Amino acid sequence: MNTRYIMGIDNGSQSTKVAIFDLEGNEVAFGSSALKETLTPEPGVVVHPDEDLWDSVYNGMKNCLDNFEGDRNAIEGIGLCTIRCCRVLLKEDGNLAHPVLSWMDARLSRPYEHQDDQVKYVTTTSGYLGLRLTGEYNDTAGNCEVYWPLDRVTLDWSEDDDVIAANGVTRDMLFNLVKPGDKLGFLRKELAKEFGLKEGLPVVATANDKAVEVLGAGISDPHSIMISLGTFISSMVTRDEYFENATNFFPTLASIPHKYVYESNGIRRGLWTVSWFKKLIGEELVTESTKLGISAEDFLNLKAQEVPPGSDGLITMLDWLASPAMPYRKGIMIGFDQRHTRYHIYRSILEAIAFNIKNNIEDMAEEINLDLNEVVVIGGGSKSDVIMQIISDLFGLPVHRRKGNSSACLGAAICVATHLSIYEDFQEAIHKMVKNETTFSPSMTNHTFYNEVNNTVVKNVRQHTDNILKLTYPIFN
C-alpha cells in the first residue's frame, strides 16, 4: 500500500512553516519562508508590506515540496492555518486594496471603519490566503473573533443586521463561512500544476493560529495546558463551554467546532525580545558560535546554562510592546552589578518569560478552578532546553516538548485527516498523530527558589516602576 500524506501550513507572524506528514503524524518534509519586517509608517500603524503573507505561503510550500522525497500525487489535502487578529481589505477583483493590517496595528482595537470605496471585501488572513490558494471567497469561522459579527452558536454570520452594522461592515463585504475541518475550496489548477500536485486537492479550514497550535499540541485533557513560545506568548486550555465575562483570560473558538480554548493574558513581543537581544550582540555572537561549530541559539543556551537560577538577581520585565491600556509601560531590567554578563541578560529574559506566563496562568486558574498536572510547550522557544527546564522548575511540573517543527502545521494536518475521514473524529486524530519528543522534570529546589523570587520580587516590581514610567511617557512618546 502506498504511503499517504497531508500538508499543513502555519502562517505565523515571523515566518510561514509548511510540513508534510504521513497519516501517523510523522513529519516527512519541512520548509519555511521568512516574512519581511512589518512597516510602521506612523504611530499605531503596523502593516505587512505588499503581498508578503501570500509570498511567504507560496515560498514555504515550494521549499517544503523541494525537501519532500515522496510521491507528490500521494498528498491528499492541505490544511491552512494563519495569523489571527489581522484585517485584510480587498478590492472587487480580490487584490489587496491596502496592506494587510497586523495584529499589532492600533486599528484592530476597534471595528472596521469604511473610508475607501475601493474596498469591496473585509476578511481575515485565512480568508485572504484561502482565496489565493483556491480562488474561493470562503473563510473559517474559527478565525473570526474580535470585531466580526459571528454567531458563536451557529458558527455563521449573525442574522441581526444591527450586529453586522456594529462591526462596521455590510453583509456583501463578508466571505462565506465554513467550520474548522470543512473545505475552503480546491487548490487552484495553476498552483497544482506548478507544484506538481494532483488536481482537486482540498484546502481545509482550521481556526485561529493559537487554537490550531492547541490542537496540534494534543491538549484535550482538562488538566493539561499549552504554552506557546512565539512572537506572542500565551497559554491555553480546552473546554466544552463558552465562559461569559472572563476577566483574566480570553475564551476563543477552538479548532474543533463548538469547543473553546481559554487563553491566558499574554506577552506581546515575547520571543521577539530574544531576537532583539541577539541583534544587540550582533557579529560577536556569530563569531563565538562559529568557533564551536554550533548555531547562535545553541551557543546562547549553552552559556545561559552556566548562569545560576535567578540570574544573580537580575530581574527583567517584558514590556517591550506595551498594551494599549497601559501604553506607558516599557521593558525594564533591574539589579545589575559586577557579576552580570550578556548571558545573565539572556537568561533573565528567559526567566522573565516564564515568570510572566506563570503569573498569567495563575490568574486564569483561579477564575476557572484549574488544577494542572502537566505542561506542553510549543513554538520556536521550545527548542531551548534552558527555558524548558526553567518552566518545569517554576511550575514544579513535567514539561513536554512535542515532536515536529510546528504544532500548528500538525494541527492543520489533523483538520485535513478529520475532513477526509481518515480518522473518526478529532480526538482519534489527536491520539494517532501527536507524539512527544522530550519531557523535562522539575528540580524542586529550584522550584522553591523561583517561587520565592516570583512572589517576593517579580509580582511587586510594576507597582513601583509604573509611576516612574508614567512620568517618562509624555516626554519620550
Side-chain angles (χ1 to χ4, degrees):
M1 180 177 173
N2 293 332
T3 304
R4 302 162 66 190
Y5 301 105
I6 297 169
M7 176 182 286
I9 298 172
D10 168 20
N11 165 239
S13 295
Q14 295 185 327
S15 68
T16 293
K17 303 178 182 69
V18 183
I20 297 173
F21 303 91
D22 64 21
L23 300 191
E24 285 71 48
N26 298 304
E27 186 180 293
V28 297
F30 180 79
S32 65
S33 179
L35 271 70
K36 298 175 183 177
E37 290 283 341
T38 52
L39 304 177
T40 306
E42 58 184 89
V45 173
V46 185
V47 296
H48 292 276
D50 304 317
E51 290 269 9
D52 188 42
L53 291 183
W54 166 239
D55 290 343
S56 71
V57 169
Y58 174 89
N59 291 323
M61 292 175 67
K62 187 176 186 303
N63 182 227
C64 180
L65 287 166
D66 286 345
N67 295 327
F68 179 55
E69 298 180 353
D71 180 4
R72 295 189 182 190
N73 285 317
I75 297 173
E76 299 189 9
I78 300 171
L80 176 64
C81 166
T82 69
I83 319 171
R84 63 179 175 170
C85 296
C86 298
R87 187 177 293 153
V88 186
L89 309 178
L90 300 176
K91 300 176 184 178
E92 188 168 4
D93 62 4
N95 289 317
L96 289 175
H98 297 278
V100 176
L101 277 67
S102 163
W103 60 270
M104 295 180 282
D105 194 296
R107 289 169 289 180
L108 271 296
S109 64
R110 56 185 184 270
Y112 169 68
E113 299 173 11
H114 188 64
Q115 299 175 334
D116 184 353
D117 286 340
Q118 73 172 334
V119 174
K120 171 63 177 175
Y121 299 103
V122 182
T123 188
T124 69
T125 49
S126 47
Y128 159 61
L129 294 173
L131 174 63
R132 290 289 183 272
L133 286 168
T134 69
E136 299 290 334
Y137 289 79
N138 296 321
D139 195 6
T140 172
N143 199 24
C144 298
E145 283 284 355
V146 181
Y147 298 121
W148 295 101
L150 182 73
D151 185 322
R152 289 175 175 268
V153 176
T154 65
L155 296 183
D156 207 340
W157 297 126
S158 173
E159 295 183 358
D160 188 335
D161 289 340
D162 291 339
V163 173
I164 299 287
N167 285 276
V169 294
T170 58
R171 290 187 185 277
D172 60 359
M173 288 179 170
L174 300 170
F175 279 24
N176 302 312
L177 287 185
V178 302
K179 297 177 179 63
D182 288 345
K183 183 172 77 257
L184 287 168
F186 296 106
L187 186 66
R188 289 190 289 123
K189 289 182 180 181
E190 57 268 34
L191 285 175
K193 182 178 181 180
E194 184 176 355
F195 288 138
L197 301 171
K198 64 183 179 182
E199 285 191 17
L201 200 64
V203 177
V204 178
T206 63
N208 64 81
D209 55 350
K210 295 301 180 183
V212 183
E213 286 181 339
V214 170
L215 180 64
I219 303 299
S220 55
D221 187 308
H223 301 292
S224 300
I225 196 165
M226 182 200 80
I227 297 174
S228 175
L229 293 181
T231 305
F232 182 80
I233 296 174
S234 63
S235 61
M236 301 184 179
V237 295
T238 56
R239 291 295 185 270
D240 292 330
E241 302 85 20
Y242 184 71
F243 194 103
E244 293 284 353
N245 302 317
T247 58
N248 293 302
F249 64 95
F250 178 66
T252 185
L253 296 166
S255 200
I256 301 175
H258 307 295
K259 289 186 179 292
Y260 299 92
V261 167
Y262 296 176
E263 179 182 8
S264 72
N265 292 327
I267 307 171
R268 295 158 66 89
R269 285 189 175 171
L271 260 292
W272 178 94
T273 313
V274 173
S275 300
W276 165 84
F277 175 70
K278 285 162 55 180
K279 287 181 181 179
L280 286 187
I281 298 179
E283 293 183 6
E284 190 170 343
L285 173 61
V286 176
T287 300
E288 294 298 320
S289 60
T290 302
K291 288 179 182 177
L292 297 178
I294 59 178
S295 69
E297 290 77 10
D298 287 343
F299 176 76
L300 273 177
N301 287 317
L302 186 67
K303 300 300 289 186
Q305 288 176 336
E306 300 173 2
V307 176
S311 303
D312 285 323
L314 184 61
I315 304 296
T316 297
M317 306 303 289
L318 291 171
D319 289 313
W320 264 248
L321 178 63
S323 70
M326 291 169 283
Y328 52 84
R329 284 187 170 171
K330 300 291 182 182
I332 293 174
M333 292 181 177
I334 59 173
F336 283 104
D337 62 31
Q338 74 284 353
R339 294 171 295 177
H340 293 121
T341 67
R342 68 193 65 190
Y343 308 114
H344 283 77
I345 296 174
Y346 176 65
R347 185 180 179 103
S348 179
I349 291 172
L350 300 184
E351 290 177 334
I353 289 170
F355 285 134
N356 198 327
I357 201 63
K358 171 68 157 51
N359 294 336
N360 290 345
I361 289 172
E362 285 183 355
D363 291 339
M364 178 171 70
E366 184 176 355
E367 191 168 355
I368 64 173
N369 297 317
L370 173 63
D371 182 24
L372 292 176
N373 56 29
E374 66 174 358
V375 179
V376 174
V377 180
I378 60 99
S382 67
K383 296 179 181 179
S384 164
D385 287 358
V386 177
I387 195 168
M388 295 292 281
Q389 190 61 56
I390 289 170
I391 292 171
S392 180
D393 291 348
L394 179 59
F395 280 80
L397 293 172
V399 173
H400 308 294
R401 178 195 290 145
R402 298 301 199 207
K403 283 189 175 180
N405 286 289
S406 166
S407 290
C409 284
L410 181 56
I414 288 172
C415 287
V416 177
T418 305
H419 171 74
L420 296 175
S421 299
I422 293 169
Y423 297 111
E424 182 178 350
D425 55 24
F426 285 93
Q427 291 302 324
E428 184 183 7
I430 289 171
H431 178 71
K432 295 288 188 179
M433 298 179 73
V434 179
K435 295 177 173 61
N436 219 34
E437 178 185 286
T438 308
T439 296
F440 295 80
S441 299
S443 159
M444 298 315 292
T445 299
N446 290 347
H447 175 64
T448 300
F449 171 74
Y450 270 136
N451 277 279
E452 180 184 8
V453 173
N454 189 27
N455 294 324
T456 304
V457 181
V458 174
K459 290 182 179 181
N460 294 304
V461 169
R462 288 192 177 102
Q463 65 176 297
H464 301 287
T465 58
D466 277 358
N467 290 331
I468 295 297
L469 293 172
K470 286 177 183 177
L471 298 176
T472 64
Y473 182 73
I475 298 174
F476 295 105
N477 292 274

